[in-house]
């Protein structure tokens, strides 16, 4: 299968998979979820979800991809027949829909970056209304989102090694350096330690069922689980690699970046006496206001922050685009360049109603009513394909492993490239979680989420 391409080695795969995991989810979503859910209490539950669910599900996805060396649909069909192929299709559809909105938000970050370096935010006083106007102004955003998609498509068109792996190996270290530099700066601000305390000292009384829903959803979003992104990337690694240790490194990197993003943002928010529960506007409203108050350093710190956000988003959008691209190249034997162009354009067009749903067009902005509020198309797509869809994808994958592929074959795949795996504690741990804990927990959470979200029924 030489023509499919491959990651050159373990580091290449880890950089790309960690690049997929580290994204808007870590730097935009994690801090506002934490801020809305009581700070350290959320962080604690989130960490538990990463260990008990996130990491084992990631190992499951990678092993299915590596075993079959096929795209999401091809992999499930090969091991489970036509019916299980539907789970692959679900992953591909989710990736397309998810990317269509993710790219809109990446466009916001790109817009802020360009505006800051162009000095366009220098005289802004009210960042709340700037944000509201900005996301409604599609004449502008159209081009930022299109630009972001074009950069994504360019990288993916260059292939697994020359495109995705090379970009990830440059962007990921750059991201780490910027992040550490910004944290160093944020710690020098007055009252920074109040933010650190809010973030690190848990109030256990804050933990509710909502904390658990949100933490689980965040773990899936952040680790890129539930839509076969890692089945796809896993299909490009060699049989000599150790899947368990690679997945562990990806999980640790992703968790570390989310953790560090919190360490960057909460001291900044508290230094200005602002509220951390600002919601999705946290990094777009609160932070620019803070940057504006930093004098000469403001534009530099601001530009670096939004560049960081763009880099993080880019290594994720490339992994999302790769899911349908691998499918079309594998199954239909189309040329990569043509597939990339066609898919990127299609995804961009699908994203337009979401882009228009942030105030530009009333019909899309107030599209449906549930969970006690009107929902914009962008929220609905995230609700279906992220909050509900990703844990569902993870749940079905565990059922697939237990009932169709079988634990024995799963274990054998993991032992390939990892001679000490059989009989190890890790084997027992993964087998227990994937056979009992994950399906039970994810199944229950799925039902509770649907009841709560769409029927306003909650039991706790
Ligand atoms: N993990 C990415 C983030 O945290 O922003 C989002 C993502 C990428 C989710 C790829 C799913 C995926 F397949």
């Amino acid at each position: 299968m030489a023509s499919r391409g491959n990651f050159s080695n373990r580091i290449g795969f880890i950089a790309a998979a960690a690049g997929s995991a580290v994204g808007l989810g870590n730097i935009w979503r994690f801090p506002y979820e934490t801020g809305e859910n009581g700070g350290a209490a959320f962080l604690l539950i989130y960490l538990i979800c990463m260990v008990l669910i996130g990491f084992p599900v990631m190992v499951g996805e990678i092993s299915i991809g590596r075993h079959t060396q096929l795209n999401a649909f091809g992999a499930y069909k090969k091991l489970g027949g036509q019916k299980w192929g539907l789970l692959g299709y679900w992953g591909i559809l989710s990736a397309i829909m998810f990317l269509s909105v993710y790219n809109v938000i990446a466009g916001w970050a790109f817009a802020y970056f360009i505006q800051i370096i162009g000095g366009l935010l220098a005289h802004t006083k009210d960042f709340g209304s700037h944000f509201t106007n900005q996301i409604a102004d599609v004449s502008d955003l159209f081009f930022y989102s299109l630009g972001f998609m074009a950069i994504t498509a360019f990288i993916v068109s260059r292939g697994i090694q020359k495109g995705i792996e090379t970009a990830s190996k440059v962007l990921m270290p750059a991201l780490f350096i910027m992040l550490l530099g910004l944290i160093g700066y944020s710690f020098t601000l007055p009252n920074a330690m109040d933010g650190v305390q809010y973030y690190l000292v848990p109030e256990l009384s804050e933990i509710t069922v909502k904390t658990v829903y949100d933490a689980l959803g965040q773990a899936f979003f952040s680790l890129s689980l539930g839509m076969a992104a890692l089945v796809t990337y896993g299909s490009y690694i060699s049989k000599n690699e150790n899947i368990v240790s690679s997945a562990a490194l990806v999980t640790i990197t992703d968790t570390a970046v989310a953790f560090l993003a919190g360490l960057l943002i909460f001291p900044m928010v508290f230094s200005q006496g602002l509220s951390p529960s600002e919601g999705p506007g946290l990094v777009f409203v609160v932070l620019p206001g803070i940057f504006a108050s930093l004098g000469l350093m403001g534009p530099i710190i601001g530009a670096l922050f939004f560049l960081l956000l763009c880099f993080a988003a880019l290594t994720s959008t490339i992994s999302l685009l790769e899911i349908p691209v691998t499918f079309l190249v594998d199954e239909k034997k189309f040329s990569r360049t043509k597939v990339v162009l066609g898919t990127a354009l299609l995804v961009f067009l699908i994203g337009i109603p979401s882009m228009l749903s942030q105030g530009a067009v009333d019909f899309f902005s107030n599209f449906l009513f549930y969970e006690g509020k009107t929902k914009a198309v962008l929220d609905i797509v995230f609700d279906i394909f992220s909050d509900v869809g990703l844990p569902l994808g993870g749940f079905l994958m565990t059922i697939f492993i237990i009932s169709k592929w079988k634990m024995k074959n799963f274990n054998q795949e993991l032992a390939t490239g990892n001679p000490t795996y059989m009989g190890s504690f890790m084997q027992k741990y993964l087998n227990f979680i994937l056979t009992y804990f994950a399906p039970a927990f994810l199944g229950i959470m799925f039902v509770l989420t649907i009841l709560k979200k769409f029927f306003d029924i909650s039991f706790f």
Side-chain angles (χ1 to χ4, degrees):
M1 278 256 187
S3 63
R4 279 184 99 240
N6 256 320
F7 288 113
S8 53
N9 53 29
R10 178 176 152 80
I11 302 295
F13 169 73
I14 290 170
S20 170
V22 172
L24 294 171
N26 305 58
I27 297 164
W28 163 69
R29 198 174 189 265
F30 173 76
Y32 86 70
E33 287 277 357
T34 309
E36 281 184 330
N37 282 298
F42 180 82
L43 177 63
L44 180 68
I45 303 292
Y46 176 68
L47 293 176
I48 296 175
C49 285
M50 292 301 245
V51 177
L52 290 186
I53 299 282
F55 167 68
V57 169
M58 179 181 287
V59 172
E61 283 201 16
I62 299 175
S63 62
I64 293 169
R66 210 259 312 251
H67 183 75
T68 55
Q69 310 269 302
L70 284 170
N71 64 90
F73 165 75
Y76 281 110
K77 195 184 91 177
K78 179 169 176 190
L79 297 176
Q82 197 72 26
K83 253 208 282 155
W84 279 105
L86 291 177
L87 181 54
Y89 275 138
W90 168 249
I92 295 164
L93 172 73
S94 301
I96 290 174
M97 297 306 294
F98 189 95
L99 176 57
S100 76
V101 279
Y102 196 91
N103 186 62
V104 171
I105 296 166
W108 300 351
F110 196 25
Y112 270 70
F113 170 65
I114 300 287
Q115 287 168 357
I116 292 182
I117 53 173
L120 299 178
L121 292 188
H123 302 295
T124 308
K125 292 269 171 306
D126 178 353
F127 286 93
S129 43
H130 175 82
F131 179 61
T132 313
N133 296 335
Q134 173 69 69
I135 61 179
D137 179 6
V138 269
S139 62
D140 213 26
L141 277 184
F142 185 88
F143 293 101
Y144 286 114
S145 291
L146 188 61
F148 207 86
M149 186 60 90
I151 299 172
T152 304
F154 172 73
I155 295 172
V156 175
S157 72
R158 292 176 55 82
I160 296 298
Q161 241 178 64
K162 281 221 265 37
I164 295 179
E165 183 177 323
T166 309
S168 307
K169 279 180 173 164
V170 175
L171 295 172
M172 290 303 288
L175 181 144
F176 254 108
I177 293 168
M178 283 192 278
L179 192 54
L180 293 178
L182 286 168
I183 292 173
Y185 184 76
S186 126
F187 269 46
T188 65
L189 297 171
N191 299 327
M193 286 310 135
D194 291 351
V196 175
Q197 178 169 1
Y198 168 81
Y199 185 46
L200 296 184
V201 183
E203 263 316 320
L204 293 184
S205 60
E206 300 262 352
I207 298 175
T208 61
V209 180
K210 181 174 176 326
T211 323
V212 182
Y213 289 137
D214 289 354
L216 180 71
Q218 177 60 24
F220 269 81
F221 188 117
S222 193
L223 286 177
S224 304
L225 301 176
M227 63 169 73
L230 289 155
V231 175
T232 307
Y233 272 11
S235 76
Y236 294 109
I237 49 179
S238 98
K239 295 280 180 193
N240 307 326
E241 309 295 354
N242 180 335
I243 294 181
V244 171
S245 69
S246 300
L249 267 172
V250 174
T251 309
I252 291 168
T253 308
D254 185 63
T255 311
V257 174
F259 179 73
L260 292 174
L263 270 190
L264 158 66
I265 286 166
F266 291 114
M268 285 196 175
V269 171
F270 277 75
S271 77
Q272 305 287 315
L274 294 168
S275 158
S277 54
E278 186 64 36
L282 187 63
V283 306
F284 292 105
V285 176
V286 177
L287 289 190
I290 295 169
F291 299 143
S293 71
L294 299 180
L296 277 183
M297 283 304 277
I300 301 173
I301 301 289
L304 270 179
F305 177 81
F306 284 104
L307 185 63
L308 168 81
L309 200 55
C310 288
F311 278 12
L314 186 59
T315 46
S316 298
T317 52
I318 57 184
S319 74
L320 285 160
L321 186 58
E322 185 59 43
I323 299 171
V325 165
T326 296
F327 165 67
L328 290 169
V329 172
D330 273 0
E331 299 289 322
K332 310 283 172 212
K333 312 276 179 263
F334 294 147
S335 94
R336 173 171 275 270
T337 320
K338 283 195 194 129
V339 165
V340 169
L341 271 180
T343 317
L345 192 64
L346 176 77
V347 174
F348 178 74
L349 294 177
I350 293 175
I352 288 180
S354 296
M355 191 190 295
L356 295 174
S357 76
Q358 299 299 296
V361 174
D362 210 42
F363 175 68
F364 293 127
S365 306
N366 303 302
F367 200 71
L368 284 179
F369 187 91
Y370 59 85
E371 255 191 319
K373 45 185 177 243
T374 44
K375 295 265 189 167
V377 174
L378 184 141
D379 304 319
I380 299 166
V381 176
F382 264 146
D383 274 347
I384 298 175
F385 293 98
S386 173
D387 292 11
V388 175
L390 298 182
L392 172 67
F395 169 72
L396 293 173
M397 186 216 66
T398 59
I399 302 294
F400 169 78
I401 293 183
I402 314 166
S403 69
K404 195 74 206 175
W405 192 29
K406 306 289 184 210
M407 258 320 156
K408 183 173 95 269
N409 296 317
F410 165 77
N411 283 327
Q412 229 155 39
E413 184 57 34
L414 291 189
T416 313
N418 181 0
T420 58
Y421 173 74
M422 287 298 190
S424 65
F425 169 75
M426 183 55 83
Q427 185 204 345
K428 295 190 180 88
Y429 176 72
L430 289 172
N431 287 196
F432 171 75
I433 298 274
L434 290 173
T435 313
Y436 303 106
F437 183 70
F441 184 68
L442 291 172
I444 293 170
M445 290 311 273
F446 172 70
V447 174
L448 292 180
T449 309
I450 295 277
L451 289 176
K452 176 164 172 296
K453 240 188 204 323
F454 302 113
F455 302 96
D456 211 13
I457 302 171
S458 58
F459 294 102
F460 303 99

